[in-house]
Amino acid sequence: MSTLWSQDANFLSKEEAIKETLENNFGIKIAKNSVLVSDNNQNILNSGYLPSLTGNAGANYNIENQEVTFNDGTSRSIDGAETTRYNASINLNYTLFDGLGRFYDFKRLKEEYNLTELQARETIETTLLQLFSVYYEVARLTENEVVLQQTFQNTKQRLTRAEYSFDYGQVNKLEVLNAEVDIVTDSINLLNTRQELANAKRDLNVITNKGLERIFTVDTTVAFTNELRIEQFIREADTTNVRLLQAERNIVIGDYNYKASKSIFLPTIGLTGSYGWNEGNFPSTSFASSNTSTGFAAGLSLTWSFFDGGSGITTIKNAKINYANQELFKSQIANEVERDIANAKGNYLNRLNVYRLQEQNVITATNNYERSNERYKLGQITSVELRQAQLNLLNAKTNKNLAKYEAKLAELELLQLTGQLLNIEF
């Protein structure tokens, strides 16, 4: 069946569904944009290591009445004396040393970028789990539709046979009425399943961010990961689980915050430089009628805060406590992850065993129905007994379908907890 579907132009394979989700899902797009923002933040342009360069320019104009007495006793007065001044400069400021604050801040920004990448990975893993919970629901309902269609056809054949038998006086009207009731029930079940399938496909189209009414079929084959490989994944989980990796990054970030906060104990050394141009035009009451100057200026400054009122010391203490909290959070998460993996492993093995039992149950129910159908044709059992065998087969097949996809989803949840969800073939 999978081979036939793979030739369908509307066939949506697992790989194609993953590809569409990674490219189009809104949550994943937002997560990727967050990584880009974090990448910008860790850039040298945001590090504080580069100097600042500013340009200044100005012009002043004064008009006033002046009366001036010179050193030789003479005096002069001017009404409406004009004075103009112009200036322009380029100024450079650079922090040579700030107590290692920016050094650790720059390292923190790089770790925050790594943390954001892990957060994006967690979003992708969660979204893929959501994708497959819906994808496998579509697959389950697809298989259920086939089973219900077969059940409907069998009941329809039974109704036809009962009508012929009644016409020839071989059975009473009750056989026909029972078949008619059953065929209505089967029709309703088939209609409800088809509606559920249509709804599930819309849900899948939302996750993949495709057209809401896109028509497609899915792959109903399921392959389980080798149990020995899963055991290996579980042993390596402490180095691959995304929550634990995030906790480790938060510890490193807390350490850098603590080290950066201690920069208040060290001085700040700054370098300044400028190149400027000044020009002034003065009235005749001044000693010079104009003045123009250009030149460089440079300076070195040292600032050392011996006591800032205690806020810096408080910041250091709080940073140390936050660092200790991050270590506690990691221990807490480690315990939770170990528990979650144990529970997920138990659920997976249990559901896998249930699926295998359901497979055997389908074989038994199929044999029972086939034998019951033959006995019904020979008149050895009633239509009620045949209907019960038919329902047993229907329930066995739908329960097997449910168990198959529940087991696979349990496996995927376990693989996510071990940090291997993105490293397997679906």
Side-chain angles (χ1 to χ4, degrees), residues 298-318:
L300 192 66
S301 64
L302 183 144
T303 303
W304 201 330
S305 176
F306 296 109
F307 185 68
D308 63 354
S311 61
I313 295 175
T314 302
T315 300
I316 293 174
K317 289 181 178 179
N318 290 339

Side-chain angles (χ1 to χ4, degrees), residues 98-109:
D98 69 343
L100 297 177
R102 65 182 174 183
F103 173 77
Y104 290 114
D105 284 340
F106 192 38
K107 286 181 172 291
R108 172 181 56 80
L109 290 173

Side-chain angles (χ1 to χ4, degrees), residues 351-380:
R351 290 180 180 179
L352 195 58
N353 289 330
V354 169
Y355 170 54
R356 290 166 179 166
L357 290 173
Q358 292 291 0
E359 283 185 310
Q360 184 60 45
N361 194 34
V362 168
I363 297 174
T364 303
T366 300
N367 293 333
N368 181 55
Y369 173 72
E370 290 175 351
R371 296 181 66 178
S372 297
N373 195 33
E374 292 299 323
R375 294 182 64 190
Y376 174 72
K377 292 177 182 178
L378 296 174
Q380 296 177 352

Side-chain angles (χ1 to χ4, degrees), residues 128-138 207 409 412:
L128 288 184
L129 268 184
Q130 181 186 11
L131 165 69
F132 277 102
S133 68
V134 180
Y135 187 95
Y136 285 138
E137 178 66 4
V138 173
I207 295 175
L409 285 174
L412 296 182

Side-chain angles (χ1 to χ4, degrees), residues 258-278:
Y258 172 61
K259 291 177 178 178
S261 67
K262 295 194 294 183
S263 64
I264 63 167
F265 294 132
L266 297 174
T268 298
I269 301 174
L271 174 67
T272 60
S274 66
Y275 176 79
W277 166 78
N278 294 275

Side-chain angles (χ1 to χ4, degrees), residues 203-268:
D203 291 339
L204 188 58
N205 284 333
V206 168
I207 295 175
T208 58
N209 195 18
K210 287 291 186 177
L212 197 61
E213 300 300 331
R214 177 177 61 156
I215 299 174
F216 59 89
T217 56
V218 298
D219 187 358
T220 59
T221 59
V222 168
F224 293 97
T225 305
N226 184 278
E227 292 185 25
L228 292 177
R229 193 179 181 198
I230 288 181
E231 289 294 336
Q232 180 183 354
F233 291 158
I234 292 174
R235 290 193 297 269
E236 298 171 352
D238 57 342
T239 60
T240 54
N241 177 272
V242 70
R243 291 185 64 200
L244 286 173
L245 293 176
Q246 289 182 53
E248 290 175 359
R249 298 279 68 77
N250 280 323
I251 288 176
V252 176
I253 290 171
D255 183 42
Y256 286 144
N257 279 330
Y258 172 61
K259 291 177 178 178
S261 67
K262 295 194 294 183
S263 64
I264 63 167
F265 294 132
L266 297 174
T268 298

